[in-house]
């Protein structure tokens, strides 16, 4: 019935657009898919498997997209502007007609809508029998517009985020769970179809290897369990020995506790005796302290009387000193008044003298204006005279030094001449002596 109703309600525009979209999809898929008809590309079996895999994945993708669209129908119905901007006028009229039929099942001739009418008459307002064949046509119309796909994907992502957020509170979304399960099934199918025979064989070999290793590990586990049992038995034996030891120690502790209680009772009795003796000694000491208290009180009263008498005497002496101090202060004030008058006179005289001194300083400053240049000229003349004397002294000293040096030079020259003469005389005498010796030798 669904196919008949969808076929009867389809308009020519829908068929034309669906054919266009189908042709465009086929062209796009032909561009994207590799060409398996070339030589040495794949065997016929692999080609057939690939074609079947592509067909299955395409069917699954279409099913998933239609499921997404079915989940997004309530949201898409609310966005009338979006649908009117994408869909054509004819399809919008078809959608409005389908919505009216869905809201008013009285206008539909399908059996499901008759059931829905009976439910409404019976008072059941649930959506149990509210589905009708026109919804298939609705999905077909929306599926023929690829521009709606981004909007649908966006809505699905929002629903998934809400589902992940509500997953903590254990709120269930059956439609979205079905979609997630279907997507997971699609992924598993793609993964299974992508695996080759060699990969499956390798997986089987790996499983056999794992089974063999599992058997070996099970044997080791049995050995380890046997060892563990033996260790547990040894541990139980040691625990029995320790429990026996603990029992013996508990008996010893009980004996020690009994002895300790007896000793404690003895100590308590001794402490009671000592306490009685201490209380008696305390009473005796208390009586002695009371007697000392009476004596101290009497002594305190005597000292207090004595101190009161001393205080009266000190107060009288203090009064006498204060009166004497007041008289001295009055006398000081009178004397200081006279001294202040004298001080005022001296200050006036001092100010007059200071004024005179300032006037003299002004006069001296005027005289310094003439005196300072004169003293500078005199200083300059004195300095010039000293320099002339110094230069004269230096010249005379230099002349004396030169004369003395010249005398030394002349004396040295004369000495050298005298030494040369002596050397000549000595050489002549030596030559004469040698000649005389030669003559003697010849004879």
């Amino acid at each position: 019935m669904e196919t008949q109703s969808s076929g009867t309600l389809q308009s020519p525009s829908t068929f034309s657009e669906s054919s266009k979209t189908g042709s465009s999809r086929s062209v796009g898929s032909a561009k994207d898919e590799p060409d398996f008809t070339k030589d040495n590309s794949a065997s016929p079996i692999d080609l057939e498997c690939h074609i079947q895999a592509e067909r299955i994945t395409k069917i699954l993708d279409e099913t998933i997209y239609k499921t997404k669209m079915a989940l997004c129908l309530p949201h898409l119905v609310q966005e009338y502007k979006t649908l009117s901007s994408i869909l054509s006028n004819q399809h919008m009229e078809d959608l409005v007609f389908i919505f009216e039929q869905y809201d008013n099942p009285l206008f539909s001739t399908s059996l499901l809508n008759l059931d829905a009418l009976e439910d409404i008459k019976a008072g059941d307002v649930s959506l149990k029998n509210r589905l009708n064949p026109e919804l298939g046509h609705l999905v077909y119309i929306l599926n023929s517009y690829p521009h709606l796909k981004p909007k649908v994907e966006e809505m699905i992502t929002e629903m998934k985020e809400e589902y992940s957020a509500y997953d903590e509170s254990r709120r269930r979304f059956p439609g979205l769970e079905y979609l997630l399960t279907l997507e997971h099934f699609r992924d598993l199918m793609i993964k299974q179809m992508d695996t080759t025979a060699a990969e499956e064989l390798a997986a089987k070999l790996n499983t056999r290897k794992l089974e063999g290793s599992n058997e070996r590990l099970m044997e080791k586990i049995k050995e380890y369990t046997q060892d563990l049992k033996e260790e547990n038995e040894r541990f139980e034996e040691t625990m029995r020995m320790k429990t026996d030891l603990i029992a013996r120690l508990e008996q010893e502790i009980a004996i020690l506790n009994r002895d300790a209680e007896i000793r404690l009772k003895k100590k308590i009795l001794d402490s009671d005796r000592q306490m009685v003796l201490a209380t008696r000694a305390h009473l005796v000491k208390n009586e002695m302290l009371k007697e000392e208290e009476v004596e101290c009180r009497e002594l305190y009263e005597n000292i207090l009387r004595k101190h009161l008498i001393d205080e009266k005497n000190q107060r009288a002496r203090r009064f006498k000193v204060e009166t004497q101090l007041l008289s001295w202060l009055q006398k000081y004030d009178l004397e200081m008044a006279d001294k202040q008058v004298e001080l005022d006179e001296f200050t006036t005289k001092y100010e007059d003298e200071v004024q005179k001194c300032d006037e003299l300083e002004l006069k001296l400053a005027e005289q310094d204006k003439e005196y300072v240049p004169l003293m500078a000229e005199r200083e300059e003349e004195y300095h010039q005279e000293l320099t002339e004397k110094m230069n004269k002294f230096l010249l005379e000293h230099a002349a004396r030094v030169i004369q003395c040096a010249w005398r030394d030079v002349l004396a040295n020259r004369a000495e050298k001449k005298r030494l040369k003469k002596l050397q000549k005389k000595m050489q002549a005498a030596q030559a004469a002596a040698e000649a005389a010796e030669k003559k003697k030798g010849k004879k």
Side-chain angles (χ1 to χ4, degrees):
M1 291 177 68
E2 290 180 0
T3 55
Q4 289 175 1
S5 61
S6 62
T8 54
L9 291 172
Q10 285 177 357
S11 61
S13 61
T14 58
F15 283 113
S16 62
E17 289 180 3
S18 63
S19 62
K20 288 178 183 178
T21 54
S23 62
S24 63
R25 287 176 187 171
S26 63
V27 170
S29 62
K31 289 180 181 179
D32 295 334
E33 292 177 357
D35 189 4
F36 289 97
T37 59
K38 293 181 181 180
D39 295 334
N40 298 324
S41 60
S43 64
I45 296 171
D46 293 335
L47 183 62
E48 182 65 24
C49 290
H50 183 74
I51 291 168
Q52 293 297 329
E54 289 291 331
R55 186 176 64 80
I56 292 167
T57 52
K58 188 174 181 181
I59 291 167
L60 288 172
D61 290 335
E62 289 178 356
T63 305
I64 289 169
Y65 180 65
K66 288 179 180 179
T67 306
K68 290 180 180 179
M69 193 174 291
L71 289 174
C72 295
L73 277 177
H75 301 288
L76 290 172
V77 168
Q78 294 176 2
E79 296 185 1
Y80 182 79
K81 292 181 179 179
T82 305
L83 292 175
S84 62
S85 63
I86 295 172
L87 272 66
S88 63
N89 295 325
Q90 182 65 33
H91 285 168
M92 283 301 297
E93 291 176 0
D94 293 341
L95 289 180
V96 171
F97 179 72
I98 291 167
F99 295 156
E100 289 177 354
Q101 275 193 334
Y102 186 73
D103 289 332
N104 299 314
L106 297 172
F107 297 103
S108 178
T109 57
S110 65
L111 294 175
L112 290 174
N113 283 324
L114 290 174
D115 294 336
L117 180 60
E118 291 177 359
D119 292 337
I120 290 169
K121 288 178 180 179
D124 188 4
V125 195
S126 63
L127 302 177
K128 181 174 66 176
N129 294 317
R130 296 292 294 278
L131 299 175
N132 54 18
E134 284 76 10
L135 291 177
H137 182 57
L138 173 64
V139 173
Y140 177 79
I141 291 170
L142 295 176
N143 191 21
S144 62
Y145 287 92
H147 296 292
L148 280 174
K149 190 171 183 180
K151 188 67 178 176
V152 171
E153 294 292 339
E154 184 180 354
M155 290 180 179
I156 290 297
T157 52
E158 291 178 358
M159 292 170 70
K160 286 181 179 179
E161 289 176 357
E162 290 179 0
Y163 178 74
S164 62
Y166 283 114
D167 191 16
E168 297 177 356
S169 61
R170 300 183 181 275
R171 185 176 176 182
R172 298 185 64 82
F173 295 90
L176 191 60
E177 289 177 358
Y178 169 73
L179 176 63
L180 294 172
T181 307
L182 190 60
E183 288 179 349
H184 184 61
F185 174 72
R186 190 265 312 272
D187 296 334
L188 291 175
M189 285 293 294
I190 291 169
K191 185 177 179 181
Q192 186 65 29
M193 286 187 292
D194 288 338
T195 56
T196 60
E199 290 176 353
E200 288 183 359
L201 183 60
K204 288 180 181 179
L205 292 173
N206 288 327
T207 52
R208 288 177 183 175
K209 289 179 182 178
L210 290 172
E211 287 175 357
S213 63
N214 192 11
E215 290 176 357
R216 290 193 295 273
L217 291 171
M218 289 295 290
E219 291 177 357
K220 288 183 180 180
I221 288 167
K222 288 179 181 178
E223 293 177 359
Y224 291 150
T225 51
Q226 187 66 29
D227 296 336
L228 186 62
K229 285 180 181 179
E230 293 176 357
E231 288 180 359
N232 286 329
E233 290 175 357
R234 288 195 295 272
F235 178 72
E236 288 175 357
E237 290 178 359
T238 54
M239 287 300 293
R240 288 194 203 97
M241 294 171 65
K242 287 181 180 179
T243 50
D244 295 335
L245 181 62
I246 289 166
R248 288 197 300 272
L249 292 173
E250 286 178 352
Q251 290 177 359
E252 292 178 359
I253 289 167
I255 294 166
L256 292 172
N257 286 328
R258 199 179 302 113
D259 295 336
E261 287 177 358
I262 293 167
R263 291 175 184 173
L264 184 62
K265 288 179 181 178
K266 287 181 180 179
K267 285 184 179 180
I268 290 168
L269 292 172
D270 293 335
S271 63
D272 290 337
R273 291 193 197 96
Q274 291 176 1
M275 191 184 296
V276 171
L277 294 173
T279 51
R280 289 175 182 174
H282 178 69
L283 292 172
V284 173
K285 192 173 182 179
N286 192 10
E287 291 177 357
M288 292 172 66
L289 289 172
K290 284 181 179 179
E291 292 176 357
E292 289 180 0
E293 184 183 0
V294 172
E295 292 177 357
C296 289
R297 284 183 181 278
E298 291 177 356
L299 182 63
Y300 170 73
E301 289 175 356
N302 294 326
I303 292 169
L304 184 62
R305 291 192 202 96
K306 185 178 179 181
H307 285 175
L308 288 172
I309 293 166
D310 291 337
E311 187 179 359
K312 287 180 182 179
N313 295 327
Q314 292 292 333
R315 286 181 182 277
R317 187 177 178 184
R318 180 182 176 184
F319 179 73
K320 184 178 179 181
V321 170
E322 286 178 354
T323 52
Q324 190 175 3
L325 181 62
L326 288 172
S327 63
W328 286 351
L329 288 172
Q330 291 174 359
K331 185 178 179 182
Y332 174 77
D333 291 335
L334 294 172
E335 290 179 356
M336 289 304 294
D338 297 334
K339 297 291 183 182
Q340 185 66 35
V341 173
E342 293 178 359
L343 180 63
D344 293 336
E345 292 177 357
F346 286 131
T347 51
T348 53
K349 289 179 181 179
Y350 173 73
E351 289 175 355
D352 295 335
E353 293 293 332
V354 168
Q355 188 176 2
K356 290 178 182 179
C357 183
D358 292 335
E359 291 175 357
L360 290 173
E361 285 180 355
L362 291 172
K363 289 179 181 180
L364 286 172
E366 291 176 357
Q367 289 178 1
D368 286 338
K369 291 179 182 178
E370 298 176 357
Y371 177 74
V372 170
L374 292 173
M375 291 300 293
E377 290 177 0
R378 185 177 177 184
E379 185 72 23
E380 187 176 357
E381 290 175 357
Y382 179 71
H383 183 67
Q384 187 175 2
E385 186 178 354
L386 284 176
T387 52
E388 289 176 356
K389 288 181 180 180
M390 183 64 70
N391 291 328
K392 186 177 180 181
F393 174 74
L394 290 172
L395 288 171
E396 290 177 355
H397 180 69
R400 290 193 197 96
V401 170
I402 291 167
Q403 289 174 2
C404 183
W406 179 247
R407 290 193 197 97
D408 292 335
V409 169
L410 293 175
N412 289 329
R413 287 178 180 177
E415 186 68 24
K416 286 179 180 179
K417 288 179 180 180
R418 189 173 62 79
L419 289 172
K420 285 180 180 180
K421 288 179 180 180
L422 287 172
Q423 285 178 358
K424 288 179 180 180
K425 287 179 180 180
M426 289 175 69
Q427 288 176 359
Q430 189 175 2
E434 288 177 356
E437 287 179 358
K438 286 179 180 180
K439 287 178 180 180
K440 287 179 181 181
K442 287 178 180 181
K443 288 179 179 183

